[in-house]
Amino acid sequence: MKEEKADNPQGQKKPPDTLPAISFQPEEDEEGQEAGQRMGFTAFCRCLWHLLLPYKTRFSLVFCSLLLSMVIMAAMPLSIKIITDYGLKSPPNFRLLMIILAGILSAGAIASLTFLIWDYFYSRIGASLINDLRFKMYRHLQQLSMSYYGRVPAGEISVRFLSDLSLVENFLILNFPFILNSGLFLIFSMVILFAIEWKIAIFAAISLVVSFQCGCWIEPRASVATKKTKDVQAEIASALHENIQAQSVIKVFRLHRLLTERFGHMGKRFCETSSRANFLLYMTELVPSHSVMLIGLLTLCTSAVFVYHGMLSIGDLVVFQLVLNEVATNVSELTWSIPSYVQASVGMQRITELLEERPEVLDQPDAGHLPRPTHEIALNRVKFGYTPERLNLNDVDLKIPVNQSVLFVGPSGCGKSTVLNMLMRFYDPASGSVTFDGQDIRTVTQDSLRSHISTVLQESFLFNTSIRENIRLGKEAASDAEVEEAARKAEIHDIIMGMPNAYDTLVGERGSSLSGGQRQRIAIARAIISGPAVLLLDEATSSLDQATADSINTSLSKLSKGRTVISVTHRLEMGPMVDRIFVFKGGQLLDQGSHAELLSRGGLYSELWAKQTGFHIEEDGSATVKASRLREIPILATLDDSAREAIAKLFVSEQMPKGSSVVKFGDPGDKFYIIVRGRATVSKPGRDGVEHQVGVIESGDYFGEIALIKKSPRTATVRTDTDCVLLSLSSTHFLRLLAENPQIKAVIDDVAQKRATS
Ligand SMILES: Nc1ncnc2c1ncn2[C@@H]1O[C@H](COP(=O)(O)OP(=O)(O)OP(=O)(O)O)[C@@H](O)[C@H]1O
Ligand SMILES: [Mg+2]
C-alpha cells in the first residue's frame, strides 16, 4: 500500500497558496511531551499579528490616540506635585494657579477624548478580526476533502467554531485592550518612578519582573491543562451531536443506559482535567497580584527608611506611593487577563489546527478544464483504501461508454459507492486512474469535473429553505422557468403546485416536511437542472415503497436519454433495462455484461437475481410468492410442486416501516419470514447485555425456518433498516397443513431429522 502511494502522482501534495497564512510552531517548554500541545506566547502573538495585518493602518492610528491618553493618565499623579510646588507656592499667584489647573483639566479632557476614539475604533476592528477569522475557518472547511469529514466528527468541528472562537473573541474584545492600556501605563509609570527615586524604582522593577516570572512559570502548565479540557469538551460535544442525530437508533436498540454511562465517564474526565486547569488558571492570576501587593508594602517600608535618613522628601514619598499604587492596580489588571489569555491561546491553537488541515484532494497548479465527456468514462486498475490498512477497491478496471445506463450491483460493503466516490474525485486512487475520455481526472479542476456530474443519493439532503431554492442549488443562475422545467421532468411539478405556497414552500430541516418520494423527486430535479453529462444514482429509490420506487424509476429512465447514468442498487428489477451491469464483490469487479449474458453465465448476479425474483408485488404494496421460488428454501426444496403451491398460499404479506422489530431475541418463534423488498439488520445481545449487529439481510433472504418445525425462542433480533415488504408463514398454519397432508409431513420430518443430525 505504501509503495502504491509512492506511485501516485498526487502523493506529494503541496498546500495551495490560497489557503490561510496563519500558522504556528508549537513551542518547547519544560513540560516535555506536552509542549507540543500548547501554543506559545510568540506563536499566539504571530497569529494576532496576521489577523491585524489587514487593519494595520487603522490600528496604528488609533493606537497613537491610546498612547497619548496613557501618557497623560500616567503623568496624572504628578499634578499634585505641580500644584503644590508651583501653583500654591508663595507668594500666591492666582493667574499661574488658574493656568496650571486649566492645563491639568485640558490634559484630562484630551485623555478622555482619545480614549473614546480608541474604544470606538477598536470595537469595530475587534469585531472585524473575529468575523475574518470565522470566515477564514468556514472557507477553509469548504476546501477540505471528504476524508476530513469522515475522520473528524461534526461536533468537534462545531466546538472550534463556537467555543474556541468565542474564547479568542473574549480575549480580543475584552482583555486585549486592557492589556495594552495596563502595559503602556506600566511603562510610563516606571519612567516616572525612576525619575523620582531610581534606587527604590530598581527594587520595585526587579520585584515586578520576578513576580511576572512566577506567572510565566505557571502559564504553560495552565495552558496545557486548558487544552486537555477543551479536547474533552469537544469529545462531549461530538457525543452529544451524535446522540441527537441517532435518537431513533438509540431508542430502538435501547442504548440510552450504555450511552448515558459513557457520557458520565466523559463528564468525570472533564471534571478531572477542568479542575486542574481551573486551579492553575486561578494561580496565574493569584501569584503575580499577591506578589505585587507584597512588593508595594516592601517599597513603602524602604521609602519610609529613605525619608527617615533624609534621602527622600515626604512629597516625593506620597507621589512615589501614588504612582506605585497605580502600578499595582495595572499589574493586577494584567494578571486578571492571564487566564483569559491562556484560554484564548488554547482556542487559537485549536482553530489553527483546523486551518492547517490540508485537503487531500487538490487541483494541480496547471489543472485544466474538463470538457463534457463524449466517449468513455473509465477506471483503470484502481486500488484504493479509506485507511492504509485495508484496500476497499482492488484493481478495479471498468469502462462505461457515454450515454449508456449501467448498474453497479453486489453485496453490501463490496465497494459500489466507493467507485462513485472515485468518479466524483472525493478521494484519489492509491494507484491506477479514473479517466474521462482518456483524461486523468487528477489533471483537471475538481470544479470542471463536478460540473458534468450530478447525484441522487438514498437519503437526499435538502436544505432548510424553499423548494425553489433547493432545486436551484443545482444551477445557481437558473431562472424560475428552468426550475419548473426541471420539476416537470422529475414529475413533481403538479404536486408542488398543489402545495399552499407552491415553489416557495419551505421543506423543513433536511426536507422533513415532505414525504420520502417527494424529497427524492426534488433531489432529482436538482440533479438534472444543470443538464449533467453523468448522473450517479446511489440507491436513489431503495428507501421508498415499491409503488413510489417504480414510478420514480420510470421517471429516471426517461431522464437517462442523452446522458450516462450509473445506478447503484440492491434491487435488480432495473437489470433487464440497462445496457450493462457491473458485479462487485469484496472490492473487486467480479463480472460484467448485459442482464441476459450475466444470467446465462450463472455467477453471483444470477444468484442475486434468483433470490429477488419469484415474488409479485401489488400496487398497494402487498406481496405474494410463486411456488417455484420456494424451491430455493432448503426446508421446502424437496417438496413436490403441489405441496409448494399449497404452502405458497399460506404466506401472508406484511409491510413494516424502517426501524420496526420483525422478531426479538428470546420471543417465541412462531413464524418464518422472507424479505421481499428492503433490508434488515440481525443483532444479538452480547455479554454486556447490549445488542451487537451480526449481519445484514436483504431482498430474497429469509429467516426463522426453525420456527416452522420446532417451538423455540428466537436466537436473534431482526430490525428493518429500510421500509420492508415481508412474507410470513405462521407455524400454526404450516403445522395444520402438515396435519392434513401426511405425505408433506413425512418429507418435512425427514429434512428436519437430517438437519438435527448434521
Ligand atoms: N468513509 C469511510 N471510511 C472508512 N471505510 C469506509 C468509508 N466508507 C466506506 N468504507 C468501507 O469501504 C467498504 C466499501 O464501502 P461502500 O460504501 O463502497 O460499499 P457499498 O458496496 O456501497 O455497500 P452498500 O451496498 O451497503 O451501500 C466497506 O467495507 C466500508 O466499510
Ligand atoms: Mg453504498
Side-chain angles (χ1 to χ4, degrees), residues 17 122-123 284 311 478 488 577 595 654:
D17 296 339
Y122 184 75
S123 60
T284 55
M311 293 158 72
R488 264 195 202 94
M577 267 103 80
H595 173 73
E654 294 185 30

Side-chain angles (χ1 to χ4, degrees), residues 369-527:
H369 180 85
L370 180 76
R372 193 178 171 96
T374 53
H375 179 53
E376 179 183 83
I377 294 165
L379 265 77
N380 309 297
R381 308 205 60 186
V382 166
K383 289 191 184 194
F384 170 75
Y386 289 101
T387 53
E389 300 82 43
R390 206 178 138 208
L391 274 184
N392 299 103
L393 291 183
N394 195 356
D395 248 340
V396 174
D397 210 50
L398 60 86
K399 295 190 190 338
I400 304 166
V402 295
N403 297 344
Q404 280 205 351
S405 283
V406 303
L407 214 55
F408 288 177
V409 300
S412 196
C414 66
K416 304 179 294 289
S417 301
T418 307
V419 175
L420 300 191
N421 287 342
M422 295 279 115
L423 290 169
M424 290 183 278
R425 206 179 163 215
F426 283 169
Y427 301 86
D428 280 333
S431 72
S433 63
V434 179
T435 54
F436 275 49
D437 288 347
Q439 189 165 9
D440 190 329
I441 59 172
R442 285 172 296 198
T443 63
V444 296
T445 60
Q446 294 170 64
D447 255 9
S448 68
L449 167 73
R450 291 178 198 147
S451 70
H452 300 303
I453 303 178
S454 274
T455 55
V456 182
L457 308 177
Q458 184 170 354
E459 299 281 337
S460 289
F461 190 98
L462 295 188
F463 289 82
N464 190 1
T465 176
S466 67
I467 292 178
R468 188 191 311 282
E469 289 312 311
N470 266 294
I471 298 177
R472 194 175 272 143
L473 286 172
K475 185 179 171 191
E476 208 182 328
S479 63
D480 284 355
E482 283 176 282
V483 170
E484 286 180 25
E485 179 57 25
R488 264 195 202 94
K489 285 186 184 158
E491 295 176 10
I492 181 87
H493 173 76
D494 293 341
I495 296 173
I496 296 173
M497 291 312 285
M499 293 177 182
N501 293 318
Y503 279 86
D504 294 320
T505 307
L506 296 176
V507 303
E509 197 170 348
R510 290 174 162 260
S512 56
S513 64
L514 302 174
S515 73
Q518 290 167 348
R519 269 200 297 275
Q520 287 307 77
R521 285 193 185 274
I522 290 172
I524 292 168
R526 179 176 67 187

Side-chain angles (χ1 to χ4, degrees), residues 300-317:
L300 178 66
C301 298
T302 317
S303 309
V305 172
F306 270 54
V307 172
Y308 181 80
H309 289 293
M311 293 158 72
L312 196 72
S313 73
I314 291 182
D316 282 343
L317 180 138

Side-chain angles (χ1 to χ4, degrees), residues 34 130 137 156 167 323 381 389 393 433 515 527 543 553 575 610:
E34 292 185 332
I130 290 301
M137 291 164 71
E156 162 80 48
L167 291 177
V323 177
R381 308 205 60 186
E389 300 82 43
L393 291 183
S433 63
S515 73
S543 59
N553 280 335

